[in-house]
Amino acid sequence: MTRAKQIVVCNNLVSLTSTNQGWRLGYEDIEHFQDITLFQGALVGTSGDSGGDIEIQGRRVKLTEGSQVISLTLAEGQAGNLRVSASESLELVGGITFEDEEGSFFSPTGLLAEVEEEATGEGATLTIETGQLIVKDGATVSTTTFGEGQGVDLTVSASESVELLGSSPEGEFPSGLFAQVETTATGDGGTLTIETRQLIVKDGAQVSAATFGAGRAGDLTVSASELVKLEGTAPDDFTPSGLFAQVEGNDTGNAGNLTVETQQFIVKDGAQISSAARNGGQGGIITVNASDFIQLSGTSPNADLEEGSSGIFVSAEKAFIDDQSGDIIITTANSGDLKIETGELIVEDGARISADTFGTGDGGTLTLDVKELIIRDGGQIGAGSRVEENPVNPLNRERGVGGTVTVNASESVEVTGSGTIGATPVKSSLFARAEGTGNAGNLNIFTPNLTVRDGAEVTVSATGEGEAGSLKVEAESIRLDDGSLSAQTRAGDQGNITLKVQDVILRRGSEIITNAILDATGGNITINTDILAALEDSDITARAIRGRGGNITITTQGIFLSPDSDVNASSQLGISGTVTITTPEVDPTSGILELPSNPIDAESIVAKNPCAIKEGKIAGGSSFVITGRGGLPPSSDDPLPHVTRVVEWVSRSPEPVRTPVVLRKRVQTNAQGERTYPVIEQAQGWMVASDDTIMLTATPPNVMPQTPRLTHPLCR
């Protein structure tokens, strides 16, 4: 039965056109549509060997109380298209609960497109075009394939916003958008695409492209020009809000890829974005690009170290028990990769970003391309080969290789403080680790400035049978202030730390440490820097227990160690490693003198006029001493060490008073006393002086002419 009402402006015509799948209504001549409402379990649907098309067009379209618009493809043939166009808004609310002998069940309000189990036809599209889309209280928009056919693609275009809110009253059915491959299906799922200005998913609502069968899940793509915000969990405080591209069932279908492009991306209070491999199904790739910032914060109310953190996750899931056979199913597939690109990435208050494997498949790689990376108050970023708490098979610790973490931060990386998840304290950390038989991946950091402080850590570790990865940092500056760079291993000879940096400063008990447990060989520490300073009980250590200690190689222009700081390579029961420090033209044994903690009161020591004449002498005969390399002692109470020269104060002799001498030009006068001036006459001749200078004369020279002895015959 159908209960639907459509109101069109009077005297406008709706065309009717024949198609291969039936008839098509045309609204080309309609200028203004009115509202459409479906309620009280109303049903609009098409079904058959080939699904028919459904098109709904209005201003505000609303479905409530379990009403549905559904397109079913039952046999071989092309699935039908379902299109809803609402110029202002489309709202789907709640569902309806039915009671029968077996109990009650919930039927959601929704838009549904299904390719059934017997069908082999290719999927079509479910399209929503509107200004604002609201799906809440358990309502759903979904495309599903149960058979061999391709699933129907789901496309949402909302010019203003998409809001997915809450779940069904019992929390069993989340509100949301879904593209699914069911357990009986071998066909691939359809794609799920959202284009809008803002996407809000909260209180347990979800957007999911998942496979429960052998078919591959479709890709999930979100493009939000301003904001994506994922927040909270369902009323059970367990089911997260979020975006998901998952392998959910016991079969071998692969997960699809998940892509988010936006300006600002916020995930908080237990919400998640996730792609998971399960059984033999490979995990998908997650790509998040937020031009302004990404902020991940908080946990769900009942979070623990395993579940409940807000965050972004790719994983190969933990083993599970098959519901039908009772067999233990181990995930053999590899995790997907995770790539994040943004201006500022903040991970705080127990939130996490991780690429993990809990099975025999390998973990994915984690790549961060950011301007600023901030991990604080118990936030964590890393990749691991993990062993879960309370595994279904405690004797099986076989795990794949952990993923590699690469951080490219054009401005800075800051890892600070600690926090709690549930009641458990956690350090803020950036890590690559392994807990079972698998080896850990490497951790690479490239940034101008790396800061680790207030108990935070940057670490690579292998606490199981696998080998640790290596930690590599290339930076202009590293600042450790009660922070650590560490590598720990129980097996093999890995767990090395390599730092290439302009200056490294350790303060307040900071550490750069490699630690080999049991028979493992200690990792090596290699530091190339211009300046290295370890202050306030800070250490650089390559340590082992029964294995050989690691080697420490430091090349620097200057190294400064406070008396309580140390550089050592040791093994408790094995052979100690070596420490090599190369410091051109610098004495590496010179320490830093610790200044007194109490400042000196200068006014109580220095008089108001220390240079005043006293007892006939300047400053009463006091002296100023220059000693050593030109420095002063740290306290005025301390003596001057290594006095090599004393310069006494002396009085300067007064200079004699000199009378200025005035030079005057002599004036010529005549007999009457009148001033006369020399007469300037025109030169009449010249002569050569004995020093070959030429002198002009007032009278012509008296020269006797000489006749040549021989006269030319022609001369007369």
Side-chain angles (χ1 to χ4, degrees):
M1 179 175 61
T2 300
R3 293 188 180 95
K5 184 177 182 181
Q6 180 174 350
I7 302 175
V8 182
V9 175
C10 296
N11 300 322
N12 286 317
L13 297 178
V14 177
S15 63
L16 185 63
T17 305
S18 176
T19 67
N20 293 332
Q21 294 176 298
W23 297 89
R24 177 182 179 274
L25 296 176
Y27 301 98
E28 294 82 2
D29 296 329
I30 306 300
E31 295 182 1
H32 302 287
F33 288 90
Q34 299 299 308
D35 300 342
I36 299 174
T37 301
L38 301 180
F39 59 97
Q40 294 182 356
L43 178 64
V44 176
T46 62
S47 64
D49 293 346
S50 295
D53 292 340
I54 301 176
E55 184 172 358
I56 299 175
Q57 194 161 354
R59 183 179 61 178
R60 290 188 292 265
V61 178
K62 185 173 183 178
L63 282 68
T64 65
E65 299 174 339
S67 298
Q68 295 181 347
V69 178
I70 183 168
S71 173
L72 300 178
T73 303
L74 302 177
E76 184 175 355
Q78 176 69 36
N81 297 314
L82 194 165
R83 179 175 178 268
V84 178
S85 178
S87 59
E88 291 188 7
S89 65
L90 170 61
E91 186 174 3
L92 287 76
V93 182
I96 187 169
T97 301
F98 294 95
E99 301 284 346
D100 60 19
E101 296 178 354
E102 298 181 358
S104 61
F105 65 94
F106 179 80
S107 178
T109 300
L111 303 177
L112 313 173
E114 298 180 358
V115 178
E116 293 298 316
E117 186 172 347
E118 297 82 6
T120 58
E122 293 298 316
T125 60
L126 192 164
T127 303
I128 296 174
E129 297 176 349
T130 187
Q132 182 181 31
L133 172 63
I134 300 173
V135 182
K136 65 181 184 179
D137 300 338
T140 184
V141 178
S142 70
T143 65
T144 309
T145 179
F146 292 86
E148 299 177 10
Q150 171 80 32
V152 176
D153 294 335
L154 171 55
T155 301
V156 176
S157 177
S159 59
E160 291 299 319
S161 64
V162 175
E163 297 182 40
L164 311 176
L165 311 173
S167 60
S168 61
E170 301 298 326
E172 184 178 0
F173 296 95
S175 307
L177 308 177
F178 304 93
Q180 297 187 159
V181 177
E182 290 296 331
T183 55
T184 57
T186 57
D188 294 340
T191 61
L192 199 166
T193 304
I194 302 172
E195 295 183 1
T196 187
R197 188 168 62 88
Q198 295 187 350
L199 171 63
I200 310 295
V201 184
K202 61 185 299 185
D203 299 335
Q206 296 184 351
V207 179
S208 174
T211 177
F212 293 81
R216 180 187 182 275
D219 294 336
L220 169 56
T221 302
V222 175
S223 178
S225 59
E226 290 186 3
L227 172 69
V228 174
K229 185 176 183 180
L230 314 178
E231 182 178 357
T233 62
D236 60 5
D237 292 333
F238 177 78
T239 304
S241 307
L243 309 178
F244 303 94
Q246 309 276 75
V247 178
E248 296 281 8
N250 301 343
D251 220 315
T252 57
N254 297 330
N257 299 324
L258 196 163
T259 303
V260 178
E261 293 190 3
T262 188
Q263 186 174 349
Q264 301 174 356
F265 187 38
I266 299 172
V267 183
K268 60 184 297 187
D269 299 339
Q272 298 180 357
I273 175 172
S274 173
S275 175
R278 185 178 171 96
N279 195 1
Q282 303 288 333
I285 298 172
I286 293 182
T287 303
V288 180
N289 187 337
S291 57
D292 282 359
F293 68 83
I294 297 174
Q295 183 177 17
L296 313 178
S297 61
T299 66
S300 64
N302 60 354
D304 56 31
L305 296 181
E306 293 289 325
E307 297 178 331
S309 291
S310 304
I312 304 176
F313 308 93
V314 292
S315 64
E317 282 297 275
K318 61 191 70 172
F320 60 95
I321 298 176
D322 185 270
D323 293 336
Q324 296 180 352
S325 66
D327 295 335
I328 296 176
I329 306 298
I330 297 174
T331 297
T332 58
N334 297 330
S335 168
D337 297 332
L338 172 56
K339 182 175 182 179
I340 296 175
E341 184 174 350
T342 188
E344 183 181 53
L345 174 58
I346 301 172
V347 183
E348 60 186 358
D349 299 330
R352 295 177 58 210
I353 297 175
S354 69
D356 293 331
T357 176
F358 291 88
T360 57
D362 294 340
T365 60
L366 171 55
T367 304
L368 307 179
D369 292 319
V370 301
K371 289 183 179 179
E372 297 178 81
L373 172 59
I374 300 172
I375 307 172
R376 62 192 179 198
D377 302 332
Q380 297 181 332
I381 296 178
S385 177
R386 305 281 308 281
V387 175
E388 66 274 21
E389 292 187 6
N390 303 316
V392 295
N393 184 1
L395 299 179
N396 180 19
R397 294 178 57 85
E398 184 179 358
R399 296 294 184 272
V401 176
T404 291
V405 180
T406 301
V407 178
N408 301 302
S410 60
E411 294 184 4
S412 63
V413 174
E414 184 174 334
V415 189
T416 63
S418 60
T420 59
I421 296 179
T424 305
V426 292
K427 295 181 178 181
S428 300
S429 61
L430 180 58
F431 64 86
R433 64 188 178 194
E435 298 171 344
T437 60
N439 297 333
N442 298 324
L443 173 55
N444 304 310
I445 303 173
F446 306 96
T447 185
N449 302 291
L450 171 62
T451 301
V452 186
R453 59 182 175 87
D454 300 335
E457 63 181 5
V458 175
T459 180
V460 293
S461 65
T463 56
E465 295 79 13
E467 295 181 348
S470 295
L471 170 60
K472 177 181 179 181
V473 180
E474 292 187 8
E476 295 177 7
S477 171
I478 295 178
R479 297 289 185 269
L480 305 183
D481 187 356
D482 186 25
S484 68
L485 304 181
S486 66
Q488 177 174 300
T489 185
R490 291 171 57 97
D493 57 358
Q494 298 300 307
N496 301 318
I497 297 177
T498 302
L499 309 180
K500 185 177 181 181
V501 62
Q502 290 184 10
D503 58 86
V504 183
I505 298 178
L506 293 77
R507 298 188 58 229
R508 293 198 304 139
S510 296
E511 288 184 316
I512 300 175
I513 181 172
T514 60
N515 187 23
I517 302 172
L518 302 179
D519 296 324
T521 300
N524 299 322
I525 299 175
T526 303
I527 303 175
N528 286 282
T529 183
D530 292 340
I531 298 175
L532 173 61
L535 314 173
E536 301 167 302
D537 195 24
S538 298
D539 298 322
I540 301 173
T541 307
R543 186 167 56 198
I545 297 179
R546 292 197 293 262
R548 179 184 177 89
N551 300 321
I552 299 177
T553 303
I554 300 174
T555 303
T556 180
Q557 297 296 320
I559 182 169
F560 306 93
L561 302 177
S562 62
D564 54 359
S565 298
D566 193 17
V567 178
N568 72 80
S570 63
S571 177
Q572 293 182 15
L573 304 175
I575 300 174
S576 296
T578 61
V579 176
T580 303
I581 301 177
T582 304
T583 54
E585 301 179 1
V586 175
D587 179 9
T589 63
S590 62
I592 295 178
L593 188 61
E594 187 172 355
L595 297 176
S597 58
N598 297 322
I600 297 173
D601 184 4
E603 292 186 359
S604 65
I605 298 175
V606 181
K608 292 183 179 180
N609 186 4
C611 296
I613 301 299
K614 185 178 181 180
E615 298 179 358
K617 298 179 181 180
I618 297 176
S622 299
S623 62
F624 179 75
V625 179
I626 301 174
T627 182
R629 291 171 290 181
L632 296 176
S635 172
S636 61
D637 297 329
D638 295 340
L640 295 171
H642 309 296
V643 176
T644 58
R645 181 182 299 173
V646 177
V647 179
E648 299 288 349
W649 287 97
V650 297
S651 299
R652 186 172 62 180
S653 301
E655 295 182 357
V657 179
R658 298 180 180 179
T659 302
V661 177
V662 180
L663 299 179
R664 299 181 182 275
K665 186 176 180 180
R666 188 173 181 179
V667 180
Q668 295 180 349
T669 59
N670 56 18
Q672 289 77 25
E674 297 174 346
R675 184 174 181 177
T676 62
Y677 298 91
V679 178
I680 300 176
E681 298 181 0
Q682 183 176 357
Q684 299 297 314
W686 58 275
M687 60 183 298
V688 179
S690 60
D691 59 355
D692 293 328
T693 60
I694 297 176
M695 300 177 61
L696 300 179
T697 61
T699 59
N702 187 14
V703 179
M704 293 296 294
Q706 295 184 5
T707 302
R709 292 181 180 181
L710 297 177
T711 304
H712 194 276
L714 297 179
C715 294
R716 294 287 187 266

